[in-house]
Each structure stands twice: as C-alpha cells, then as structure tokens.
Amino acid sequence: MQGSGRPHSGPPAVGASLLEADAYFRNLYASEPSFKRLGDLDGDFSFFLNKNGQLDFNDPAAVMQLTKTLLKADFGLKLELPDDRLCPPVPNRHNYILWLKGLMDSTSYERPGRRLCGLDIGTGASCIYPLLGTAQRPWCFIATDPDIDAKSLGYAKRNVELNGMEDRIRILERDAAGALIPLDDAGVQSIDFVMTNPPFYTSEREMLSSAANKERPPHTACTGAPVEMVCEGGEVAYVGRILRESLVLRNRVQWYTVMFGKVTSLEAMVGELRANGIDNHAVTEFIQGNKTRRWAVGWSFGPMRPAEDVARGIKSSIWRKMLPPTTKMDLLTLPSGNATSPLIKRIIEFVGSLELLSWSWETEKSKGVGRASENVWSRAWRRKRLRELSAEGSESSSRRHGLAGLEECRLGFAVTVEVGRTETSVALHWLEGHDQGLFESLGGFLQGRLKDAKTID
C-alpha cells in the first residue's frame, strides 16, 4: 500500500440501499488509497507523512495511525489500541468479511442482507472483525478471547462502546481450557457462522525469524504481543481444535471459517476435512498489494452450496487439488444477437414439466430456481413412476402435491440466462444437496434439451 491511488468518498450514507453499500465496500481497496487524501481528511494521519506524502511502515505509530484513519474514513469507525497489541491491517481483515458475506449470501434461499449472528474467536484488542461486520451488514457477534488476555478484552469492550455497538457485539470471557465454540456457555442453540484468524506461529522464535526474513516488517508484527501471534502447534493445531468441536456441534453452526497465514496450513486442513467425510467446503485466497497473501477455508455440514467464485477462489493451478467440486455448469452459449424470449420460454416449460418439489422463474433476473427429491428427469425414474401410477390407479393431483411437500430435497438448483456484449449464456448452478452426481446428471439432461436451441426463433 503506497498511497498514491484512489480518493476517499466516505462510507455509505444512512438509508443507502444494500446494493449501493455492497458495491462501495466491495470496491474499497480494489486500488490503493491516496495517502494525501487521507492526510487531508485526518490531521493525525498527515503528521506521519513525509514531504513526498509517503508513510514510514517501519514506524509502529505510523502504521497504527493508518489503521485508525482507514477505519474512520472508510467505515465510520473509531478505534483505541495499546502500543503492545496487534494492529490489524484493515484491507486484509476487510477481505475476510467480503468473502464471508458472499459465503452467507450464496448459501441461503433468502435475499442477501439478512440478519445473522457470528462468533469471532480471538477477537483481540481491536475487535476488528465484529466492527467491520456490523458496519456493513445487520449482523450481531459474540466475540471471545480464548487466550484470557485481560488487556485485550478491556480494549475490545472499549472499542465496542466507542462505536455504540453494545447491543450487537457481546464480548464473552473464556477459560483457556474451555470450548473454542462456546454455544452453550453463550446461551445460544445455534449460530450462523464462526470466524477466526488464529495465531500463525508455533513459538516466539519462529515469529521473530519470520519477521527478520521480510524486507519490511509486516503491518502487524510491529505491535503484536506473543499471546496474539503464537500458540502451541501454530495455526494448524489451533484450527484442529475447531474442527474437532465442529464434528460434535455439526449443524448448530451453518459455516465454520478460518483465515490462514500459510497455504500449507490450508492444504493440511482441506485434507482433514476430506478425511472426516465433510463434503461441503469452500476455499479462497486473499491478495492485497504485491506481497500480502492469506488463505481461507469454510466448511459446513448442511446442504447449501456456495457460489462458484466463493467456493473456488484459488486460481493457481498447483493448488487445484484443494478446490471443492464445481457448483456451476455451462449449458449453452449463443451469439448475443439471438432473441432470448423463445429460449427462456423453452427452459420454463421443460423444467416446469418435471415433477419437482418446487420451480419458479424470476423474470427480472432471468433466473429459475428449482428443488428436486430425486433424478425426476431420468428415463429410469419416469418408467418407475409410470409403474407406480399404474399399480395405484388414478391418484389425485392434490394428494401427489401433499406427498411432494413431505419429500426431502436432494438437489436445489438455479438456471440462469445471462446476456453479455458478445454472447448469451445459459448455466446451471448447484444450490443445495450433497450428491454431486445428481447435479451433473441434471446438467447433462439440460444440455441435451438445449442442444438444438440455436435453431429456436
């Protein structure tokens, strides 16, 4: 972050639409902020700029002021921190919240922006994740510090109060030997997500060695205390505890998520998920600037599948083995000049003719959402169904509808039609279910039905 980029427009105004607010937050650090503009906005920050408008990243006080100024200018948040505690780099932490929003939005049939409650494990003195989350969405948080760092907890409570978030962020003190996910102690039956940015290092020696090998001290190493950055076994052991607790809690948490400092830790974690039979996970990579990289993983015991860009956010081919199954299948591509109305009509009719649990088309979005109890599109199923109806005799449609309402959904899906500048594309999206073969089977069926769509007029 060199500071010669975009000007600051300030956080969304009260009453801004979710669409406007999300666009603002999504694009915040797409380019580097202008330090000159930040200095004009905040005299405390301008004090640390040299005559060329640059910041000395080797100065812990300057780095801490950058964090405070970014939170104030971009999110409308206030922050107090002691000199000997972790000073979180805002863009890096913000990336985690952005990914979490996409994860939660894409794994629900409800509209984005619903009220959720999350658990932040190891919230630290800044309480940064709950503050960023509540600034962007109508979320509430339980924030803990399993390391029993009274000083950090005191500052965390102060930062919640400074921002008037006492009714949405609850600081929960923990015993070091207690559960990392203390739902029962917190008095809650279930929670929407867990998040944590665990200590990276296995020892102080490893922490100091890592800092010495960097060209410039990382933004956080200047002020972080060992209690915040070191734990026995490092981040892999720490997250191993969360995994073990998740195997007991299971669906009491919709998504368990972690941000790692090392890609090898992510690789080890994905291996553990697969070894424990967890078939629904998401991985991503956070890239900020030219050097800073972090990785995240989320896993769920529920059936809702994350969107493709959320679940498979690592682009490097050497790490493709960590990716979960694709949740998007391209069905058809046509030149953009073709009329879409006949194509959409055909999709609505032949998907609607299937004996689904539900099927609806959203005209404004050119998107249909359906749910199926089994592969009702296959020839084998149709033959079986004819035999059943023949044996049972005439069965009223109302009774069939009543029975369908009791059937379990094995596959939730969406069909989308997107019109671009040069082409129109039709895609199938996996929204719900644990059976990858069922999703692929439906994709093959739809491709077969659409293969002559280029002749539709």
Side-chain angles (χ1 to χ4, degrees):
M1 186 185 293
Q2 298 301 316
S4 59
R6 62 167 181 85
H8 278 67
S9 59
V14 176
S17 70
L18 179 68
L19 195 63
E20 292 170 329
D22 274 357
Y24 166 82
F25 289 119
R26 184 171 56 251
N27 294 318
L28 254 184
Y29 303 115
S31 59
E32 296 176 351
S34 166
F35 285 174
K36 181 181 183 305
R37 176 61 174 159
L38 285 174
D40 291 341
L41 290 172
D42 187 352
D44 291 338
F45 182 71
S46 66
F47 174 80
F48 289 97
L49 298 178
N50 63 24
K51 62 181 179 180
N52 296 319
Q54 298 300 303
L55 194 72
D56 181 5
F57 282 92
N58 292 304
D59 180 356
V63 172
M64 184 175 292
Q65 187 57 53
L66 173 61
T67 290
K68 293 179 179 180
T69 300
L70 285 175
L71 289 174
K72 177 182 176 181
D74 290 342
F75 302 92
L77 294 170
K78 301 173 184 177
L79 190 72
E80 288 186 4
L81 284 176
D83 294 336
D84 61 346
R85 287 297 182 270
L86 200 63
C87 178
V90 176
N92 176 280
R93 286 357 185 214
H94 179 55
N95 283 339
Y96 193 171
I97 294 292
L98 288 178
W99 178 69
L100 194 57
K101 289 197 294 186
L103 182 68
M104 302 310 297
D105 287 350
S106 66
T107 53
S108 172
Y109 287 113
E110 296 183 40
R111 292 184 179 276
R114 61 200 168 106
R115 296 181 182 276
L116 301 176
C117 188
L119 169 67
D120 177 29
I121 303 173
T123 199
S126 65
C127 199
I128 186 71
Y129 289 121
L131 290 176
L132 289 175
T134 52
Q136 299 180 48
R137 286 290 176 88
W139 292 356
C140 65
F141 280 85
I142 298 169
T144 69
D145 192 333
D147 298 305
I148 317 303
D149 182 359
K151 186 172 185 177
S152 291
L153 278 176
Y155 272 91
K157 290 177 181 178
R158 173 61 178 156
N159 286 318
V160 171
E161 293 168 358
L162 275 175
N163 292 282
M165 290 294 178
E166 296 96 325
D167 61 335
R168 294 173 60 190
I169 301 174
R170 174 186 169 195
I171 306 295
L172 183 67
E173 296 189 35
R174 300 294 303 140
D175 185 289
L180 290 177
I181 310 175
L183 299 190
D184 293 334
D185 291 346
V188 296
Q189 176 57 33
S190 62
I191 206 165
D192 296 293
F193 62 86
V194 165
M195 66 184 308
T196 187
N197 181 196
F200 290 172
Y201 304 110
T202 59
S203 66
E204 288 188 50
R205 182 176 181 179
E206 182 189 4
M207 179 181 73
L208 295 173
S209 175
S210 175
N213 289 332
K214 296 181 184 292
E215 294 180 16
R216 183 177 74 197
H219 298 182
T220 54
C222 307
T223 56
V227 69
E228 298 172 292
M229 303 179 70
V230 176
C231 73
E232 185 177 354
E235 57 187 2
V236 172
Y238 192 96
V239 178
R241 288 180 60 189
I242 296 176
L243 173 59
R244 290 190 292 275
E245 290 184 24
S246 79
L247 292 170
V248 176
L249 295 170
R250 301 185 73 83
N251 285 313
R252 290 183 67 183
V253 178
Q254 185 187 359
W255 281 98
Y256 302 84
T257 73
V258 176
M259 184 166 77
F260 287 114
K262 305 173 186 177
V263 69
T264 52
S265 300
L266 175 66
E267 182 181 24
M269 186 62 190
V270 170
E272 286 298 309
L273 295 178
R274 289 171 173 161
N276 282 280
I278 300 172
D279 64 4
N280 191 6
H281 78 278
V283 294
T284 197
E285 179 179 45
F286 305 132
I287 303 174
Q288 195 64 49
N290 297 323
K291 297 179 181 179
T292 304
R293 289 176 184 261
R294 296 289 182 267
W295 296 265
V297 62
W299 67 97
S300 176
F301 296 90
M304 300 302 296
R305 315 299 296 201
E308 183 83 354
D309 62 324
V310 174
R312 295 165 59 90
I314 296 179
K315 305 305 179 185
S316 176
S317 59
I318 63 172
W319 300 112
R320 290 185 65 84
K321 60 186 177 181
M322 293 191 291
L323 298 178
T326 184
T327 58
K328 180 182 179 183
M329 184 182 298
D330 295 323
L331 303 177
L332 178 70
T333 301
L334 297 172
S336 59
N338 290 41
T340 59
S341 296
L343 174 63
I344 290 174
K345 181 180 179 182
R346 180 167 183 173
I347 293 171
I348 293 172
E349 288 178 349
F350 71 70
V351 177
S353 68
L354 300 174
E355 200 164 322
L356 299 171
L357 297 177
S358 63
W359 166 248
S360 61
W361 184 266
E362 299 178 61
T363 303
E364 307 80 22
K365 298 181 179 180
S366 295
K367 173 183 177 180
V369 176
R371 303 176 80 227
S373 60
E374 51 185 314
N375 57 342
V376 297
W377 49 86
S378 71
R379 291 180 180 177
W381 184 89
R382 290 196 295 271
R383 288 195 295 266
K384 183 185 75 169
R385 187 63 175 149
L386 286 173
R387 290 195 300 270
E388 290 173 349
L389 291 176
S390 176
E392 295 172 7
S394 177
E395 182 180 27
S396 71
S397 61
S398 61
R399 180 170 181 269
R400 287 200 303 272
H401 183 270
L403 289 174
L406 298 174
E407 292 181 276
E408 179 184 359
C409 175
R410 291 184 57 211
L411 177 67
F413 64 91
V415 180
T416 58
V417 178
E418 297 184 9
V419 180
R421 292 182 181 179
T422 60
E423 62 184 27
T424 295
S425 60
V426 182
L428 175 68
H429 306 263
W430 187 8
L431 303 182
E432 181 182 7
H434 293 281
D435 192 337
Q436 181 184 356
L438 203 58
F439 168 67
E440 294 173 348
S441 172
L442 177 59
F445 167 77
L446 295 178
Q447 283 177 330
R449 286 301 186 98
L450 290 172
K451 65 182 179 182
D452 61 346
K454 295 180 181 180
T455 64
I456 299 175
D457 52 30

